[in-house]
Amino acid sequence: MSSNDLLEKEGHEHLSHNLNNGTSSSNVEAAQRLARRLYKLDKFKRSDVAKHLGKNNEFSRLVAEEYLKFFNFTGMSLDLSLRKFFKAFSLLGETQERERVLVHFSNRYYHCNPNAISTQDGVHCLTCAIMLLNTDLHGHVNIGRKMSCQEFIANLQGMNEGQDFPRELLKALYNSIKNEKLEWAVDDEEKKKSPSDGTDEKDNTNQSKAGNRIGNSNNPFLDIPHDPNAAVYKSGFLTRKIHADMDGKKTPRGKRGWKTFYAVLKGSVLYLQKDEYKPDMALSEDDLKNAVSVHHALASKATDYEKKPNVLKLKTADWRVLLFQAPSPEEMESWINKINCVAAVFSAPPFPAAIGSQKKFSRPLLPATTTKLSQDDQLKSHEAKLKQISTELAEHRSYPPDKKLKGKEVEDYKLKEHYLDFEKTRYEMYVSLLKDGSGKELLSTAENDGPGLKKCHSSPSLNQEPPVSAKVKRNISERKDYRPETPSVKQKVT
């Protein structure tokens, strides 16, 4: 056992021995010793720090509190404090671990600056918003229009305990991140392995470029799990048309053309490749741009599209709408079933909505991580959400807006109704699939070349690299809602 493991084991032994008596001085002393060594990188690497700060136990919490005491953020702005914090270590690890690290940072910043932002929760909300903004403005695989300052401000309306954050504060944060992206420290050996962000050496292969892009998301909440050993649940040719962009904004007419791809539903990601799938084929940049995460998504027959047969509609967690034409009615139904099964089985429970009476309705954040629940608990979670959403929808419809209200207030009412109605349909589908055993069947089977299913012992990889996290196609579901697919009147898909 290494000295690092011994030190952490010592802390856990102290903690378990004195758990009933509260936090003992020996626990604190052990945490202080580990925190000091982590800060000084005494036999630790920068990439080791986050995993010791972000574990979900009492000793890790103590270590994090002691570690943050080495940072004095007094009088510093939130963005500068984040930059200072990230110079000390690499923000790596599972999504939940990184989120807990940011919670510890937020608590420390509030302790150093109790008058800068009104609450601890407000600091954490802004910290998360900065991380999301950083991904939107500087993410490697991010395409399309970047978030504007006005949109950033609008996204945070009512998020400060029901109040707005100071507008000048949000402007300053936006400009800071726009002018200089957030980066965290990297170990020297890691720098030698791959080129720095933003540089692509001429002798790099396509595979190394794709690998760098997959692993460089700056957003700890929305990373898409990219597991080379994930099962392939379905594959085949599909023709795609983008009907609506993020938040249901209709795609410009010139970008709505049909394109044919070889589709591979691998894990919780639908990869759309221009060439037929090969196990050893590296992911190209176009593959990453076209890939779609199906977490919290819903596939259905596109009954309102009549120009082509066998068309299914896929609505993603961030309310993008994609149309896919399958070769036959049977294939269309198979794709719908497999996509919905994957979403039902693997989608992690959504984060709680922000507390406070917000001025405008906004959807809760839908994490892209894989659920940690058993299948039975996953079903119970979906059933609970279905009951909650059904109750909210009934209550919402029982209080229609006053006819004297302004247009924006009426639009906000319809937006929330559309959201609740869609969520009710989605959870009804998830519950139905898990109840009839489709989830267990999905977990025990994978696609083969024949018409049936066989047990999956291993599955081919789209990229022969260790498991990393990939941000796929900007699936940001907490952003301000603009215009859903059908906010007020049902429009025919064109």
Side-chain angles (χ1 to χ4, degrees):
M1 185 178 292
S2 68
S3 59
N4 298 344
D5 294 332
L6 284 171
L7 185 57
E8 187 171 10
K9 182 181 178 183
E10 176 190 352
H12 284 295
E13 288 174 347
H14 282 304
L15 182 63
S16 59
H17 181 72
N18 297 286
L19 190 59
N20 293 329
N21 298 320
T23 302
S24 69
S25 59
S26 57
N27 292 336
V28 175
E29 289 170 0
Q32 287 173 339
R33 289 197 297 272
L34 179 54
R36 187 180 301 108
R37 290 184 57 195
L38 289 171
Y39 181 74
K40 294 183 177 181
L41 297 177
D42 178 10
K43 297 183 180 179
F44 286 102
K45 297 187 296 184
R46 288 183 173 85
S47 55
D48 295 329
V49 176
K51 65 183 179 183
H52 288 283
L53 305 184
K55 292 181 180 178
N56 190 22
N57 59 60
E58 184 65 16
F59 182 68
S60 181
R61 183 186 66 78
L62 288 174
V63 172
E65 287 181 356
E66 295 300 325
Y67 181 82
L68 264 297
K69 289 179 181 178
F70 288 101
F71 297 86
N72 183 6
F73 301 129
T74 304
M76 296 178 65
S77 63
L78 185 58
D79 57 303
L80 289 179
S81 298
L82 266 176
R83 296 186 196 281
K84 178 179 180 179
F85 186 50
F86 287 157
K87 284 181 180 179
F89 69 101
S90 301
L91 187 61
L92 304 174
E94 293 186 1
T95 300
Q96 294 91 339
E97 291 176 347
R98 289 186 280 170
E99 182 185 355
R100 285 191 282 269
V101 172
L102 292 180
V103 169
H104 294 309
F105 163 80
S106 301
N107 293 343
R108 178 60 178 169
Y109 181 84
Y110 181 76
H111 178 80
C112 293
N113 301 279
N115 299 319
I117 299 170
S118 57
T119 66
Q120 232 168 263
D121 288 341
V123 175
H124 186 56
C125 176
L126 274 185
T127 301
C128 297
I130 289 173
M131 300 297 290
L132 293 169
L133 176 66
N134 192 64
T135 299
D136 190 276
L137 296 180
H138 303 292
H140 275 301
V141 294
N142 194 1
I143 61 172
R145 187 173 64 84
K146 308 293 186 181
M147 189 191 302
S148 69
C149 183
Q150 292 303 316
E151 288 170 338
F152 178 66
I153 293 172
N155 290 348
L156 290 164
Q157 282 186 322
M159 300 296 285
N160 186 20
E161 295 293 307
Q163 304 298 316
D164 291 346
F165 291 103
R167 191 177 183 87
E168 292 305 315
L169 169 63
L170 298 183
K171 282 184 178 180
L173 292 174
Y174 178 90
N175 289 326
S176 172
I177 302 304
K178 181 181 179 181
N179 294 332
E180 182 184 357
K181 70 177 179 179
L182 285 175
E183 295 179 286
W184 42 79
V186 179
D187 292 314
D188 292 338
E189 55 266 33
E190 292 299 320
K191 291 180 181 179
K192 295 176 183 178
K193 288 180 183 178
S194 61
S196 59
D197 285 347
T199 61
D200 288 323
E201 295 179 4
K202 292 182 180 180
D203 58 349
N204 282 348
T205 63
N206 288 335
Q207 183 167 347
S208 67
K209 286 182 181 178
N212 290 337
R213 290 179 184 276
I214 290 173
N216 278 320
S217 171
N218 290 337
N219 184 347
F221 300 99
L222 305 174
D223 289 346
I224 306 301
H226 173 72
D227 183 359
N229 299 315
V232 174
Y233 297 112
K234 187 166 180 61
S235 62
F237 285 100
L238 288 175
T239 306
R240 183 207 68 187
K241 177 180 182 179
I242 303 176
H243 172 65
D245 297 326
M246 192 183 301
D247 297 317
K249 294 184 293 183
K250 191 150 186 179
T251 304
R253 188 169 293 275
K255 297 181 180 180
R256 281 190 247 159
W258 289 92
K259 294 182 180 180
T260 301
F261 297 93
Y262 192 78
V264 181
L265 182 58
K266 184 177 175 67
S268 59
V269 179
L270 179 63
Y271 295 93
L272 301 173
Q273 301 176 216
K274 293 183 178 180
D275 300 310
E276 188 167 348
Y277 171 70
K278 297 178 182 178
D280 58 348
M281 184 168 63
L283 286 168
S284 69
E285 293 186 31
D286 284 341
D287 291 336
L288 288 175
K289 292 177 182 178
N290 292 322
V292 181
S293 172
V294 300
H295 74 285
H296 291 282
L298 180 66
S300 59
K301 184 177 180 180
T303 54
D304 51 355
Y305 188 84
E306 302 172 350
K307 294 181 180 180
K308 290 178 179 287
N310 312 322
V311 176
L312 65 97
K313 177 170 65 176
L314 175 64
K315 191 166 183 177
T316 65
D318 57 3
W319 278 20
R320 287 184 296 127
V321 179
L322 308 170
L323 302 181
F324 292 97
Q325 184 185 28
S328 66
E330 293 77 17
E331 276 293 287
M332 177 192 69
E333 292 295 337
S334 178
W335 276 107
I336 290 173
N337 183 64
K338 286 295 172 65
I339 290 172
N340 288 335
C341 273
V342 168
V345 169
F346 295 119
S347 295
F351 293 131
I355 300 173
S357 55
Q358 300 181 38
K359 294 180 179 179
K360 294 185 179 181
F361 166 73
S362 63
R363 305 191 305 276
L365 181 66
L366 301 177
T369 48
T370 301
T371 183
K372 303 297 183 184
L373 301 177
S374 66
Q375 284 302 289
D376 290 339
D377 288 339
Q378 181 80 339
L379 174 58
K380 292 177 182 178
S381 174
H382 289 332
E383 287 177 329
K385 285 299 297 182
L386 175 58
K387 183 178 180 180
Q388 174 196 335
I389 292 291
S390 299
T391 301
E392 287 185 30
L393 180 60
E395 291 177 352
H396 183 73
R397 285 175 171 167
S398 65
Y399 295 99
D402 193 310
K403 294 181 179 179
K404 297 179 181 179
L405 289 177
K406 298 179 182 178
K408 288 185 178 180
E409 293 170 305
V410 174
E411 183 179 346
D412 194 60
Y413 175 89
K414 292 179 179 178
L415 180 65
K416 185 173 182 179
E417 181 180 39
H418 180 76
Y419 160 77
L420 292 172
D421 190 46
F422 173 74
E423 290 296 277
K424 181 173 180 288
T425 302
R426 182 166 71 87
Y427 281 108
E428 284 174 342
M429 175 61 71
Y430 292 179
V431 168
S432 174
L433 288 170
L434 294 188
K435 275 188 173 180
D436 70 12
S438 298
K440 292 180 180 179
E441 179 185 353
L442 182 80
L443 290 174
S444 62
T445 58
E447 186 186 61
N448 65 355
D449 295 331
L453 295 172
K454 68 179 180 181
K455 190 149 186 171
C456 174
H457 298 285
S458 63
S459 49
S461 167
L462 285 173
N463 196 340
Q464 303 297 320
E465 294 189 275
V468 291
S469 292
K471 178 176 178 298
V472 177
K473 197 68 175 178
R474 301 176 69 199
N475 275 1
I476 300 174
S477 55
E478 74 164 324
R479 191 184 287 188
K480 171 193 171 186
D481 294 287
Y482 291 92
R483 189 173 301 165
E485 179 199 356
T486 53
S488 53
V489 295
K490 290 188 177 181
Q491 57 187 22
K492 183 174 282 192
V493 180
T494 56

